[in-house]
Amino acid sequence: MTNKWNYQPPTQKQILKQNELSQKFGFSPAVCLLLVQRGITTEEDIRKFFSPGLRDLHDPFQFPDMPIAVKRLERALGNKEKILVYGDYDVDGTTAVALVYKFLEQFCSKSYLDYYIPNRSDEGCGISMQGIDYARQTGVDLIIALDCGIKANEEIAYANTFGIDVIVCDHHMPGEELPPALAILDAKREDSCYPYEHLSGCGVGFKFMQAFAKNNGIDFSSLKSLLDLCAVSIASDIVPVTGENRVLATFGLKQLNQNPSRGLKGIIDVCGLSGKEITMSDIVFKIGPRINASGRMMNGKEAVDLLLAKDSESAKEKSENIDQYNDDRRELDKRITDEAYSVLDQNPDMVDGKVIVVFNREWHKGVIGIVASRLTERYYKPAIVLTESNGFISGSVRSVTGFDIYTAIESTKDLLENFGGHTFAVGITIREENLDLFKNRLEEFADENMEEEQMTQTLDIDMALELKEINMKLLFDIKKMNPFGPENQKPVFCSFKVRDAGNSKLVGKELEHIKLELTDDSTDTIIHAIAFGKHEYYEKIRAGVPFDICYTIEENNYNNNINIQLLIKDMKFS
């Protein structure tokens, strides 16, 4: 697939501001331009960006219903009522449950505290009727629902009939009518004045515990050790790494690197990250998938059991189990992805429209979200992958940049049994008899609201550099911009008319990658780079043909020698 490069040279106004910041703060000119592009230009903004502090966290009592939630929790603890910490089976839900449980177990015995994760196959996501029945049968008085509940109107009403109070801590979009919960902590409520609406579900749970601590004179230090869980949720749930999330992620990464909980240390060990500096990318690609694998393949409760592990031996055993689940998940994911590709290859008309919909009642529900992401990457169109679940059709929806799939799905809500999610990812449940009409309606919505250019993979490029501008100071200044993530992505650069310096070569088991040595007219220096899966360009490169590159600047640490290496995302020949 041909990528479109989205590059806009800086304006004169941006260049003037870049020069001003460079003189004032001493950062590399390129990093100063990045700051200008990201709207980080005042001294206070720059301080908060490069040195985020816990003092920058907002007052949790700015959440609507927070005083009600705290008062109810205080009453439950004071009266020794039974509390059920309830969360979804994904990384965000399980880390949220672990965080709240770990904090509350300081104040009550285990006989008054329990946790519950719904089974993906039997119950689906969010609060379930089975979950409420479990609460009733075990004598629960208060449910704290994390990363779910904002649309569980019927389930919460059901809980109310048994005298069970529910506090919802969610970050998803509310429906037209809020559920009948005692308190609803969700910054996306229409009546919310909370200054930051992009917290993860775990982040909302953290704010609830922060409010409880503040109201009861409990030192903040009792919360700091839980921030590693916040960092894992922020990275895994793909929420913006800005504002309050940046603070939580920064301190969470410090905790994860310096003194992680035993459960997270177990995962760090099994995925080969011991002794290395753990980044947001490591969470996204190594730690998060293993926690997720528990909910996808077995039951997310096992992930919480691990995250709450009290000793290293238990953490090691549980981490090895979850690592096996992840291996099983990868095999299943590959098989179902290949089957989906085969269906689409044999039925090319299924990819002619603007939305891809595939259904197989035998597919495993736990991996269809991953398969939907694979289809979106391959065809660069919104993709919906469906399977049968409990008599209904259940599925995962993934979108492309610039197309709000949540709004698209919402336009068909009269055909759906249930749906929920956000701009780029949605889960749905539908009756099979409504499936064809649903596909038609969704295609009509896409025809009216989706531009052709949105179906072309676009690489957003921050700026162009000559190779002489790439040096160690730039590398270290870019590292200071961590943690990276949505709305603070790792900078992407381009350079024009580079050429082989003479020693580029094919590498990899099947010689599928190119290890590059590059130069250009701006320098005699050689810049090292790696282009994964780009072997088809090798002959042109070795022939000395000039080409353009799009890349990120990485640190290559080999035998404790730190060098610069470009990671090539794309290349173009004139």
Side-chain angles (χ1 to χ4, degrees):
M1 179 180 289
T2 302
N3 295 319
K4 176 185 175 184
W5 291 16
N6 179 25
Y7 167 63
Q8 298 293 328
T11 64
Q12 191 59 35
K13 185 177 178 181
Q14 287 177 321
I15 292 171
L16 288 171
K17 193 66 181 177
Q18 171 194 19
N19 293 335
E20 179 189 324
L21 295 183
S22 186
Q23 290 174 11
K24 189 170 184 179
F25 296 102
F27 295 121
S28 301
V31 165
C32 290
L33 182 55
L34 290 168
L35 294 175
V36 173
Q37 290 171 335
R38 296 176 191 210
I40 304 164
T41 56
T42 69
E43 193 162 339
E44 178 65 6
D45 288 343
I46 289 171
R47 195 275 303 164
K48 286 185 176 181
F49 185 77
F50 286 106
S51 303
L54 293 170
R55 64 189 178 279
D56 298 320
L57 294 175
H58 301 302
D59 180 359
F61 283 97
Q62 290 181 273
F63 267 96
D65 290 356
M66 186 64 85
I68 299 170
V70 169
K71 186 176 180 181
R72 182 66 185 89
L73 178 56
E74 289 170 346
R75 194 178 95 206
L77 292 170
N79 294 341
K80 294 187 176 180
E81 299 177 49
K82 187 159 187 181
I83 301 168
L84 182 66
V85 186
Y86 191 118
D88 236 333
Y89 43 66
D90 63 0
V91 179
D92 195 13
T94 52
T95 53
V97 167
L99 185 149
V100 171
Y101 188 94
K102 286 177 82 166
F103 183 75
L104 291 182
E105 69 178 349
Q106 303 172 76
F107 309 106
C108 65
S109 69
K110 286 189 176 180
S111 57
Y112 298 110
L113 190 62
D114 194 6
Y115 58 91
Y116 187 91
I117 304 291
N119 184 284
R120 180 189 288 261
S121 300
D122 299 335
E123 300 169 70
C125 63
I127 300 177
S128 67
M129 293 298 189
Q130 294 99 310
I132 301 300
D133 286 336
Y134 174 85
R136 175 176 58 84
Q137 291 159 8
T138 55
V140 166
D141 301 289
L142 173 64
I143 294 174
I144 299 174
L146 297 151
D147 190 36
C148 61
I150 196 63
K151 285 188 170 181
N153 297 45
E154 290 182 21
E155 291 82 358
I156 292 174
Y158 182 58
N160 291 343
T161 65
F162 303 116
I164 300 171
D165 289 330
V166 180
I167 296 172
V168 170
C169 303
D170 207 344
H171 69 130
H172 296 103
M173 288 296 297
E176 292 177 4
E177 184 180 337
L178 292 175
L182 179 73
I184 299 171
L185 309 179
D186 190 332
K188 291 187 173 74
R189 284 174 54 164
E190 281 189 6
D191 62 342
S192 175
C193 295
Y194 192 74
Y196 190 74
E197 65 171 29
H198 301 300
L199 290 166
S200 64
C202 184
V204 179
F206 177 84
K207 297 304 292 187
F208 183 19
M209 297 303 98
Q210 182 192 0
F212 175 84
K214 181 177 180 179
N215 211 50
N216 289 275
I218 299 165
D219 193 87
F220 189 86
S221 60
S222 63
L223 288 160
K224 277 184 73 174
S225 63
L226 303 173
L227 287 175
D228 51 3
L229 293 164
C230 277
V232 170
S233 80
I234 289 166
S236 301
D237 217 53
I238 322 294
V239 292
V241 186
T242 57
E244 200 162 30
N245 278 343
R246 186 168 176 81
V247 178
L248 296 172
T250 298
F251 284 88
L253 281 171
K254 284 181 182 176
Q255 186 73 26
L256 198 61
N257 279 286
Q258 295 170 7
N259 189 25
S261 68
R262 286 189 174 86
L264 286 173
K265 180 65 168 68
I267 303 175
I268 289 167
D269 290 343
V270 298
C271 60
L273 290 172
S274 298
K276 300 178 182 177
E277 182 184 1
I278 298 167
T279 65
M280 297 290 270
S281 181
D282 292 322
I283 297 172
V284 171
F285 293 108
K286 295 184 178 180
I287 296 174
R290 284 168 171 80
I291 297 174
N292 251 337
S294 174
R296 292 184 187 281
M297 304 304 296
M298 296 295 288
N299 189 302
K301 188 175 185 300
E302 290 190 52
V304 180
D305 293 342
L306 166 60
L307 295 173
L308 294 176
K310 301 288 188 187
D311 61 90
S312 301
E313 193 59 39
S314 171
K316 181 176 184 293
E317 180 184 340
K318 289 176 168 51
S319 295
E320 287 171 351
N321 289 342
I322 278 178
D323 195 46
Q324 183 59 53
Y325 295 153
N326 192 51
D327 289 343
D328 296 343
R329 186 271 306 165
R330 276 195 290 233
E331 289 180 19
L332 190 60
D333 157 26
K334 184 181 185 308
R335 178 175 65 77
I336 294 176
T337 298
D338 289 344
E339 288 176 11
Y341 286 161
S342 178
V343 169
L344 296 172
D345 288 344
Q346 293 169 26
N347 300 276
D349 57 305
M350 293 177 68
V351 296
D352 287 344
K354 290 186 174 179
V355 180
I356 295 169
V357 182
V358 287
F359 167 51
N360 183 321
R361 63 181 75 254
E362 302 300 323
W363 284 343
H364 193 290
K365 189 177 178 183
V367 299
I368 57 175
I370 300 171
V371 177
S373 295
R374 301 260 193 267
L375 297 183
T376 297
E377 289 167 10
R378 180 169 182 170
Y379 298 99
Y380 212 70
K381 295 179 180 183
I384 303 175
V385 180
L386 302 164
T387 187
E388 187 175 44
S389 176
N390 300 323
F392 294 99
I393 302 301
S394 180
S396 290
V397 190
R398 297 294 183 268
S399 192
V400 294
T401 303
F403 184 65
D404 184 348
I405 197 66
Y406 183 90
T407 300
I409 295 295
E410 191 175 37
S411 73
T412 69
K413 64 183 179 183
D414 56 302
L415 301 174
L416 303 175
E417 297 301 303
N418 197 8
F419 76 99
H422 49 79
T423 304
F424 297 116
V426 179
I428 64 169
T429 303
I430 187 171
R431 293 183 185 275
E432 189 167 355
E433 59 264 30
N434 290 334
L435 186 55
D436 288 339
L437 182 55
F438 166 74
K439 289 192 283 189
N440 293 337
R441 287 259 299 275
L442 200 59
E443 189 64 43
E444 288 171 8
F445 183 95
D447 280 337
E448 293 173 8
N449 295 278
M450 190 176 184
E451 304 294 333
E452 287 293 333
E453 62 192 40
Q454 290 175 305
M455 293 187 290
T456 301
Q457 174 76 62
T458 300
L459 290 174
D460 291 321
I461 297 170
D462 292 283
M463 74 182 70
L465 295 175
E466 293 184 323
L467 295 188
K468 69 179 181 182
E469 298 177 87
I470 301 172
N471 53 40
M472 295 302 290
K473 177 169 175 52
L474 175 58
L475 172 67
F476 290 135
D477 282 353
I478 289 172
K479 281 190 69 176
K480 292 174 186 174
M481 296 178 69
N482 273 297
F484 292 117
E487 297 187 28
N488 183 47
Q489 297 284 8
K490 180 174 285 189
V492 176
F493 303 96
C494 65
S495 296
F496 304 116
K497 297 192 183 317
V498 304
R499 61 182 183 275
D500 178 28
N503 290 308
S504 296
K505 60 183 179 181
L506 291 170
V507 295
K509 286 183 180 179
E510 298 178 10
L511 301 179
E512 68 271 39
H513 315 306
I514 314 175
K515 191 171 184 181
L516 296 154
E517 293 189 2
L518 301 174
T519 189
D520 66 6
D521 292 337
S522 76
T523 183
D524 295 327
T525 305
I526 292 173
I527 297 289
H528 295 270
I530 185 76
F532 292 111
K534 305 286 187 187
H535 61 92
E536 70 269 24
Y537 298 121
Y538 179 68
E539 294 302 331
K540 277 188 177 181
I541 291 168
R542 290 294 287 154
V545 177
F547 57 101
D548 304 334
I549 54 173
C550 169
Y551 55 89
T552 57
I553 299 174
E554 308 292 338
E555 175 181 297
N556 184 23
N557 192 333
Y558 183 71
N559 287 338
N560 292 321
N561 290 318
I562 296 175
N563 295 294
I564 293 170
Q565 180 174 265
L566 310 185
L567 178 58
I568 306 294
K569 296 173 76 71
D570 199 13
M571 53 179 70
K572 289 188 176 181
F573 292 80
S574 302

